[in-house]
Structure formats: structure tokens, C-alpha cells
Amino acid sequence: MKKVISTSKAPAAIGPYSQAIQVGNLVYTSGQIPIDPATGMFVEGGIKEQTRQSLLNVKEILEEAGLTMKDVVKTTVFMADMNDFADMNAVYAEFFSEPYPARSAVAVKTLPKGALVEIEVVAGV
């Protein structure tokens, strides 16, 4: 059975999808772009600021599900430019500690609304 996870502390879905879905003991978040839920706008700055906001959005969704970043088992990071990897990784490291989740990081042609980064996670309940 699927359970919808939704919070006003993260950006509302901008299409026909949920912020997150829980199935059994796993929570799958949708990709989070750097929208500040208070303003509905992108945060100002570059890849570091956008990575931080994307991860803060993930964190809020997980908290709504009763989880923390320590419960994350897998992340996928989509970037508009792989040259931003080191800066993204520096901010990413602020949110996770050992044992680190498994991760994929890929560059893509474009992201929604022109974002520099989008991050999705899978967490264990």
C-alpha cells in the first residue's frame, strides 16, 4: 500500500506527482530543486546555495515522514554542469555522515525551471 508524504515546508509538486511516497519500509522522494517554499522562488546564488536548498527540501519531506537524513540509503544528484561537482559535494557532505548513503551523480542537459541541481533520495523507515 502506498502512503503519500506531503508537507508545506517543502515546495509543492509542480506537476502530477507527490513530494514523496512510502511503500513498506521505504520512502521515495521526488527530485527536489532549489525552490524556497516560503517564496516559491529559487534561492539566490550558485550551485552551493542551490544544493543546500534542495537538500533542505529533502530534509523537510523526510521529517514529515518521521525520518532524518541519517535514514537515507540512496541519493541521486542531477546537475546541469558536472564542473559543479566539487562545490555540490562540499555542501552535500554537510548533510550526511558515515555510513554515507549510496549515491549516483549525473550531468543532464536541463533541469526543471533551469535549476543547477535536483536531488532525490530513498530512505528506510
Side-chain angles (χ1 to χ4, degrees):
M1 174 182 271
K2 294 191 298 187
K3 176 184 175 186
V4 175
I5 309 296
S6 181
T7 178
S8 61
K9 295 179 181 177
I14 56 175
Y17 61 89
S18 300
Q19 287 176 328
I21 294 288
Q22 180 177 343
V23 177
N25 64 348
L26 294 175
V27 171
Y28 300 85
T29 71
S30 290
Q32 294 300 302
I33 58 176
I35 294 175
D36 179 338
T39 65
M41 306 296 289
F42 275 7
V43 293
E44 290 187 25
I47 189 66
K48 288 183 177 182
E49 294 80 9
Q50 288 199 16
T51 299
R52 184 170 287 106
Q53 185 63 54
S54 295
L55 287 167
L56 287 171
N57 293 342
V58 166
K59 184 175 181 261
E60 291 293 348
I61 293 167
L62 292 177
E63 286 179 3
E64 183 66 23
L67 302 172
T68 70
M69 298 299 266
K70 291 181 183 220
D71 297 307
V72 174
V73 296
K74 172 71 168 82
T75 67
T76 306
V77 179
F78 304 95
M79 291 177 289
D81 187 345
M82 193 55 81
N83 291 317
D84 288 335
F85 182 86
D87 287 338
M88 175 283 298
N89 201 48
V91 174
Y92 179 98
E94 297 172 13
F95 285 81
F96 296 102
S97 58
E98 291 189 31
Y100 299 111
R103 178 177 75 184
S104 300
V106 297
V108 296
K109 185 174 179 182
T110 57
L111 288 166
K113 297 186 173 259
L116 300 176
V117 64
E118 180 174 1
I119 301 171
E120 64 183 26
V121 307
V122 178
V125 175

